[in-house]
Amino acid sequence: MTPDAVPRIRLNDGNSIPQLGLGVYKVDDDEAERTVATALELGYRHLDTAEYYGNEAGVGRALAASGVDRDDVYVTTKVWNDQQGYDSTLHSFDRSLAKLGLDVVDLYLIHWPAPRQDLYVETYRAMERIRQEGRARSIGVSNFQTHHLERLLGETDVVPVINQVEVQPWLQQRELRAFGEARHIVTEAWSPLARGRILEDPVLLRIASAHDISTAQVVLRWHLQQGLVVIPKSVTPSRIAENLDVFGFDLTPDETAAIDALDSGERVGSHPDEVG
Ligand SMILES: NC(=O)C1=CN([C@@H]2O[C@H](COP(=O)(O)OP(=O)(O)OC[C@H]3O[C@@H](n4cnc5c(N)ncnc54)[C@H](OP(=O)(O)O)[C@@H]3O)[C@@H](O)[C@H]2O)C=CC1
Ligand SMILES: O=C(O)C(=O)[C@@H](O)[C@H](O)C(=O)CO
């Protein structure tokens, strides 16, 4: 798969993001180094990490050793909940850059709104400064619900480019996605494969069989056809390859409708009101 097979999605600040990337949550530093090396070799050009994942150094080492031009790889990291606040976000960002071995990240996100701390507005103010300084090309948020976004938009200057939230066929987040779309905020789907738990679903098995592909590929194609950005995680080389090989077929309208009908509201991750 050549890297240019992955479409880029235009962001509200004029930058763009490859629509599919590699997630590395729950991957330790050394395994992240091996996994990212494999992914870059296979043609991935978008990596999603976070200070919380404890693997920014491994991601950075793989990137540096890959021979791929830094500017050809889209790198996202995130500020963790216990680092929210203006000054601590600036320090946390410095640490992330140092661990990644980079001068600039493509996207810096608030990991969770952590509403009980009530610090996400000042955290975002620090991120506006980081962007102004040219050390993050774009800034955005993760796990924000509409009321968090409304407050942020009312009290800060830079519209987030992305809201990275759980989206998978059981939790389709239609209202939140429409809210973002109306404000030019792209939705990025975390746990797009529902952490692997959805892959034996009979509807997906039937569609996979019709196309002679895997259920993971069906689910990823479903995300992509709706304009979502996706960051599936795998440490298994054959799956890393398979997850990228989702640009040579289309789901039919009936197949898409059958997956749309799986929306039950069931989360595989935490609810934003309960974290932080
Ligand atoms: N902002 C946030 O709060 C959050 C962000 N994220 C981001 O989203 C990324 C993806 O989400 P994540 O929770 O990791 O879950 P995913 O939905 O990406 O699922 C990952 C699981 O699916 C398995 N898997 C991957 N590909 C295949 C395949 N082709 N066939 C069968 N099984 C497969 C993996 O196994 P194996 O690795 O063993 O191959 C792993 O167990 C994270 O890694 C992280 O970067 C995730 C959660 C929260
Ligand atoms: O969703 C959960 O319950 C998790 O453990 C993860 O989402 C984790 O908190 C995280 O933020 C990973 O990015």
Side-chain angles (χ1 to χ4, degrees):
M1 187 66 53
T2 58
D4 52 11
V6 180
R8 297 185 77 96
I9 301 282
R10 186 112 175 132
L11 303 173
N12 67 34
D13 62 2
N15 294 323
S16 66
I17 183 170
Q19 201 182 355
L20 187 144
L22 178 80
V24 289
Y25 177 45
K26 289 203 168 160
V27 182
D28 72 27
D29 216 29
D30 288 341
E31 192 164 42
E33 186 174 356
R34 285 192 297 277
T35 303
V36 168
T38 302
L40 291 172
E41 177 80 19
L42 286 165
Y44 282 74
R45 292 293 181 266
H46 170 183
L47 309 169
D48 182 86
T49 184
E51 184 170 43
Y52 177 64
Y53 301 169
N55 58 23
E56 289 166 309
V59 169
R61 282 196 301 272
L63 184 50
S66 68
V68 180
D69 194 297
R70 159 68 188 101
D71 288 336
D72 290 341
V73 182
Y74 195 96
V75 179
T76 299
T77 195
K78 319 181 188 89
V79 58
W80 186 242
N81 306 332
D82 64 3
Q83 298 302 310
Q84 283 204 31
Y86 193 88
D87 289 334
S88 47
T89 297
L90 296 177
H91 292 310
S92 178
F93 183 73
D94 288 342
R95 278 197 305 276
S96 286
L97 272 193
K99 285 190 206 140
L100 285 161
L102 299 177
D103 303 327
V104 57
V105 295
D106 296 275
L107 178 61
Y108 196 41
L109 301 177
I110 300 183
H111 206 139
W112 292 86
R116 284 189 289 269
Q117 299 187 70
D118 195 21
L119 288 172
Y120 63 80
V121 172
E122 60 172 283
T123 298
Y124 196 76
R125 284 282 184 204
M127 292 165 62
E128 289 180 323
R129 173 170 156 186
I130 288 165
R131 177 180 175 271
Q132 179 69 29
E133 292 168 348
R135 298 192 302 147
R137 293 185 173 122
S138 297
I139 56 174
V141 296
S142 176
N143 297 303
F144 273 45
Q145 297 175 276
T146 53
H147 59 282
H148 305 125
L149 286 171
E150 266 164 350
R151 179 163 169 220
L152 197 72
L153 292 169
E155 297 184 28
T156 62
D157 299 322
V158 177
V159 177
V161 295
I162 273 186
N163 187 18
Q164 183 186 111
V165 294
E166 181 181 343
V167 183
Q168 35 86 4
W170 293 331
L171 183 77
Q172 298 185 17
Q173 304 259 36
R174 299 272 170 195
E175 222 173 285
L176 180 58
R177 284 161 53 191
F179 182 95
E181 198 174 340
R183 290 155 186 83
H184 309 289
I185 301 169
V186 169
T187 300
E188 179 173 22
W190 62 251
S191 295
L193 303 173
R195 298 190 167 153
R197 290 177 214 164
I198 203 166
L199 301 179
E200 294 301 318
D201 180 279
V203 171
L204 301 178
L205 286 166
R206 175 176 56 74
I207 298 169
S209 162
H211 291 266
D212 198 18
I213 54 175
S214 72
T215 49
Q217 289 173 310
V218 171
V219 175
L220 293 173
R221 187 69 215 163
W222 172 81
H223 282 90
L224 294 167
Q225 282 184 211
Q226 301 174 77
L228 293 162
V229 175
V230 274
I231 44 171
K233 171 262 175 186
S234 177
V235 295
T236 312
S238 59
R239 291 175 174 172
I240 300 172
E242 178 183 310
N243 293 346
L244 185 62
D245 187 13
V246 287
F247 298 97
F249 61 96
D250 283 312
L251 302 178
T252 66
D254 282 353
E255 290 167 343
T256 301
I259 303 173
D260 290 352
L262 298 178
D263 195 2
S264 61
E266 184 180 336
R267 290 178 188 271
V268 297
S270 301
H271 191 288
D273 285 338
E274 288 156 12
V275 176

